[in-house]
Amino acid sequence: MTPPSSANPAAPFPSTQPRWQLLQLIATLALFVLPAAVISTPANLLPFGLLLLLSTVLGAGYLWRARALAGPALPLLWALALVAIGLSVLSIWQAGLVLEDVDNRSRFLVMPWALLWVCALRPSMQALWWGALAGLLFTLAIAAYQVLGGLGRAEGFTNAIVLADTALVLMALLVFCRQPGRWGLIGLGLAAGGGVILLSGSRGVWPALLVLLVAMALSVPWKTGRFRAGALFGLLLVAATLVLSVPQLREHTRLDELRSDVERIERGDVDSSAGARLERLQIAWDAFLERPLSGVGIGNFDAAMQRLPECRLPMAAESPEPRCHLGHAHNDLAEWAATQGVPGVLLLLCVYGLPLWLFIHLHRRSGENGFRGPAAAGVMLVISYIFCGMTQSMFAHQITASTYTALVGVLAGLSLVDRAQRVVAPEAASSS
């Protein structure tokens, strides 16, 4: 048996070769630690990155020959990565900033890299599923330890918002990369993820969580659509009842604080969590109108905050006002518009729109019975980021930026490998 060629991209790799088997084992381990370590350890995605680099160096020949299987998805992701980095460098040059500000955007190179790596070494998708389950359980233990230890909001090894947003991504992997008959473990993982979100006190993740639950209810093969809708409604009703009736849960969801924030905003007081977000949206809009073609420069949102008198004080860098130094707009669209202008807005549309289109296309060709599999998980990954991006700058933090770029490539690769195996299996059966 020979490695796949451009004439037959669906052909399997030589699984009898010890070298390839070792590389596949390393890749499978990498796929497990990606979700398992991302928010449950201080190392985050470093173990995945090291294993990715090691297996790439040792298996460079296999990656080169996997280009045929990667197909048009490879140049698409390469183009997206290069445009993102190119516009970032241009923004840095225009604003006179330092090159370190392009760091998060350079992670877009992982998308085509991970795609080709999965197509070449073909790790098992179940490693990703088990990693997501392990990551959620470990993270819940850490979050509970922090809150019981007196911390107001669980932060893990990052911050509360990033912790909640990433936990939601792991929940999406758990639901849509599932194998039949594992609903007990899926329920356990979802409960753990819900606990992490609750202990984090993050409210911005709720819309994305609701979308995830609706998509799950519509995708499971439980009897009729009416039954699935009823099950979803019952689940939400139980959750809402618990949150509203138990004082400790209500405190961690910060519902009373949200009501207080709204009342303060109505009085013109923006010195609150919700008020500060509205204030930053207005500042981002003003900065965009002032520099619609360039913005204030990537990673330089604090420059736009100089519009506030308290942020223009002498020694502003040491100002006690925390909102002067957050570094981002707490909203994807506001962040990219204020820092990169119209090109930034168009780029953000591509960052979410092109992978979403790719995953929808891959799912339609996957042969899956229902909405499940790696392409479906990819769709939910992008949708989750879009909703979470309404209250957070998802690419201003290395964890959320790296998780997105790595999973886009990994899930696209798993989709292509799965489809190739579905094509090869009937051919092998007919020839035997």
Side-chain angles (χ1 to χ4, degrees):
M1 187 179 295
T2 59
S5 65
S6 57
N8 185 14
F13 270 86
S15 58
T16 57
Q17 290 187 3
R19 180 165 173 256
W20 188 82
Q21 289 178 330
L22 175 61
L23 291 173
Q24 187 184 46
L25 180 62
I26 296 174
T28 299
L29 177 60
L31 216 58
F32 174 83
V33 301
L34 193 167
V38 61
I39 49 174
S40 65
T41 69
N44 305 129
L45 287 176
L46 180 60
F48 168 75
L50 293 176
L51 292 171
L52 172 66
L53 179 61
L54 174 64
S55 53
T56 297
V57 171
L58 296 178
Y62 292 114
L63 267 71
W64 179 254
R65 289 193 290 269
R67 291 171 299 145
L69 177 56
L74 183 61
L76 176 70
L77 295 183
W78 267 118
L80 179 57
L82 294 177
V83 169
I85 295 173
L87 287 178
S88 300
V89 173
L90 178 62
S91 177
I92 288 172
W93 174 74
Q94 288 178 329
L97 304 174
V98 294
L99 280 177
E100 67 182 27
D101 291 316
V102 80
D103 177 55
N104 281 348
R105 302 291 171 86
S106 68
R107 300 170 195 271
F108 281 93
L109 289 173
V110 176
M111 291 192 300
W113 180 7
L115 167 68
L116 198 59
W117 173 76
V118 170
C119 289
L121 304 183
R122 308 191 181 190
S124 170
M125 182 177 67
Q126 287 309 292
L128 190 69
W129 187 90
W130 283 107
L133 177 62
L136 288 169
L137 294 176
F138 291 152
T139 304
L140 176 62
I142 294 168
Y145 174 80
Q146 290 181 334
V147 172
L148 292 175
L151 194 63
R153 298 174 62 182
E155 298 180 348
F157 301 100
T158 173
N159 65 60
I161 300 175
V162 170
L163 180 72
D165 291 343
T166 309
L168 179 77
V169 171
L170 300 189
M171 293 166 71
L173 295 179
L174 191 72
V175 170
F176 295 99
C177 291
R178 66 184 184 271
Q179 288 291 324
R182 288 182 175 166
W183 281 107
L185 291 175
I186 291 173
L188 177 63
L190 290 177
V196 171
I197 291 173
L198 179 67
L199 294 175
S200 74
S202 176
R203 300 181 301 233
V205 75
W206 292 355
L209 178 60
L210 179 60
V211 171
L212 173 64
L213 293 176
V214 170
M216 180 186 71
L218 296 177
S219 70
V220 295
W222 293 341
K223 299 181 180 180
T224 65
R226 183 176 298 178
F227 179 85
R228 292 195 293 267
L232 174 63
F233 178 77
L235 176 64
L236 294 177
L237 182 62
V238 170
T241 302
L242 286 173
V243 168
L244 294 174
S245 60
V246 180
Q248 291 82 0
L249 296 181
R250 190 169 63 249
E251 178 182 353
H252 280 295
T253 54
R254 300 164 65 212
L255 289 176
D256 293 336
E257 180 183 326
L258 178 60
R259 183 171 59 252
S260 174
D261 288 355
V262 172
E263 292 174 352
R264 293 171 68 177
I265 291 172
E266 291 174 346
R267 296 195 303 266
D269 180 5
V270 296
D271 190 15
S272 62
S273 177
R277 279 175 165 79
L278 291 177
E279 179 183 64
R280 299 180 87 79
L281 290 177
Q282 181 61 55
I283 290 174
W285 175 246
D286 292 340
F288 174 74
L289 291 180
E290 182 177 309
R291 298 181 181 180
L293 297 181
S294 64
V296 297
I298 183 174
N300 195 36
F301 188 79
D302 283 352
M305 293 298 294
Q306 298 297 312
R307 297 170 180 274
L308 295 177
E310 53 268 42
C311 296
R312 292 198 301 266
L313 294 172
M315 305 297 290
E318 301 176 7
S319 168
E321 288 289 338
R323 67 184 194 273
C324 297
H325 317 298
L326 290 178
H328 56 81
H330 266 296
N331 176 282
D332 268 340
L333 184 59
E335 171 78 16
W336 291 55
T339 58
Q340 291 186 268
V342 172
V345 173
L346 296 177
L347 179 58
L348 180 63
L349 293 177
C350 292
V351 164
Y352 286 143
L354 290 180
L356 181 61
W357 173 85
L358 175 63
F359 284 124
I360 291 174
H361 175 73
L362 290 173
H363 179 67
R364 287 176 175 174
R365 302 181 61 192
S366 66
E368 287 284 358
N369 183 21
F371 190 66
R372 58 180 294 273
V379 170
M380 293 309 302
L381 167 72
V382 178
I383 291 176
S384 296
Y385 264 70
I386 290 173
F387 275 87
C388 290
M390 294 178 181
T391 56
Q392 176 66 301
S393 298
M394 301 299 286
F395 295 94
H397 302 275
Q398 66 91 10
I399 292 179
T400 44
S402 299
T403 300
Y404 183 81
T405 55
L407 285 178
V408 165
V410 164
L411 292 171
L414 289 172
S415 302
L416 291 168
V417 169
D418 182 65
R419 182 172 180 273
Q421 291 172 341
R422 290 173 186 267
V423 171
V424 169
E427 293 178 355
S430 61
S431 61
S432 60

